[in-house]
Amino acid sequence: MSGVVVHLPQGSGGAADGEPYGGAVTLRLGPGERARFGRGSSTRPVELRLADAAISRLAGEIRVTDDHWQLSNHSTTHSYLVENPEGAGEYLRVPPRRAGAPIPFEFSRVVLPTRRDTTVSFQVFAPDHVYLDPPGTGGPWESRTVTAYSLDETATYFLVLVALCEPWLRDQSPVAVPTTPQVVERLRGHTAYARLTPRAVSSHIDYLAEEKLRTGAPRSAETARGDRRNGKREAVVGLALRFGIVREEHLALLPPRTEPAARGR
């Protein structure tokens, strides 16, 4: 496992003076590294700062090992939840003072309780869950190989990838890769993704480009944001189609297409 990505979306770090606190924060941690989270102070610095009076100065810690990540809860009164947004409601409860709880989910949302009507949460991506080749590829363990691109075909990021590749798979001779709003609109007919937002789709594209497919898409600060996003979408589509990661049979994962109404004269 090469590491994890911890992401705090903009405005999700709690509320300060009644207003959403903080900008987006993304941390990359390798094996043996850690990130502390909480309200923080000059004497208790944290890498992930959360603003709410119910959250401790040092609320907890994420630590990365060779093959998974662990969550420690430093609170003496509050349990934390680790949800699996890609599953059917699975979650883990990490009780107060629990140290080093192993987290099995590939994509997790860590949720902390607050005194307001909303919670504080951040996301953790563990990108290097690997899968063995299909049974029958034979040989002892030492001679077996793992897939080069380890993707979960039940995950939201894979559905986003299929939607991006759809025009080519349907042989529509597209001139441009679908935009983020077009992907949102395409998946809106799926009951499980009716509330999918452009920001969420963009996060999944970043995850595909930077972690799952490792495309090396441009990230230079000198590149315009729109060009950088286009480069990522084009890179993941090109790699997925060249290596057959997304194929025609995957189109069945998408909701039925709605044909535009016929226009009158």
Side-chain angles (χ1 to χ4, degrees):
M1 183 174 185
S2 62
V4 305
V5 176
V6 182
H7 179 63
L8 176 68
Q10 183 174 1
S12 297
D17 299 325
E19 296 294 329
Y21 173 80
V25 177
T26 300
L27 305 174
R28 298 176 183 276
L29 306 175
E33 295 182 327
R34 65 174 185 169
R36 295 159 295 184
F37 58 90
R39 281 163 54 215
S41 68
S42 57
T43 58
R44 290 198 172 185
V46 294
E47 287 72 32
L48 209 61
R49 192 162 186 178
L50 309 173
D52 191 275
I55 296 177
S56 306
R57 294 289 183 185
L58 181 57
E61 178 181 287
I62 290 170
R63 184 181 294 273
V64 182
T65 71
D66 288 334
D67 57 3
H68 66 282
W69 64 278
Q70 302 172 344
L71 179 67
S72 294
N73 181 354
H74 293 170
S75 171
T76 59
T77 55
H78 295 146
S79 293
Y80 303 154
L81 296 182
V82 183
E83 300 174 340
N84 177 14
E86 305 288 354
E90 297 96 339
Y91 69 89
L92 296 176
R93 181 185 295 109
V94 182
R97 302 183 303 280
R98 174 69 160 94
I103 309 300
F105 306 135
E106 182 175 10
F107 175 29
S108 305
R109 181 187 296 117
V110 180
V111 183
L112 283 70
T114 70
R115 292 178 61 88
R116 299 175 293 112
D117 57 355
T118 58
T119 57
V120 167
S121 65
F122 57 88
Q123 303 161 351
V124 182
F125 297 86
D128 284 346
H129 287 193
V130 295
Y131 299 86
L132 293 174
D133 283 338
T137 51
W141 175 265
E142 293 81 0
S143 67
R144 293 184 181 180
T145 57
V146 295
T147 55
Y149 301 107
S150 178
L151 277 72
D152 180 359
E153 295 184 5
T154 66
T156 304
Y157 66 75
F158 189 81
L159 192 66
V160 169
L161 181 59
V162 175
L164 289 171
C165 296
E166 181 183 23
W168 280 266
L169 295 174
R170 295 195 188 277
D171 195 23
Q172 295 177 349
S173 300
V175 295
V177 67
T179 65
T180 296
Q182 287 172 334
V183 172
V184 172
E185 184 64 28
R186 180 66 183 92
L187 299 181
R188 186 162 293 167
H190 197 303
T191 55
Y193 302 103
R195 297 185 179 181
L196 193 66
T197 64
R199 179 181 294 179
V201 169
S202 295
S203 296
H204 286 297
I205 293 172
D206 289 342
Y207 183 49
L208 285 163
E210 299 171 14
E211 304 298 337
K212 301 303 289 185
L213 300 180
R214 305 178 298 281
T215 61
R219 299 179 60 192
S220 171
E222 299 175 358
T223 307
R225 178 170 184 156
D227 292 341
R228 184 166 66 249
R229 181 71 64 198
N230 289 339
K232 285 185 178 181
R233 288 188 284 109
E234 292 170 356
V236 298
V237 167
L239 191 147
L241 294 174
R242 285 198 305 271
F243 286 96
I245 297 169
V246 177
R247 303 177 297 279
E248 285 189 32
E249 57 262 33
H250 292 127
L251 293 174
L253 298 172
L254 297 172
R257 291 191 297 174
T258 56
E259 298 297 334
R263 296 180 180 178
R265 289 183 176 273

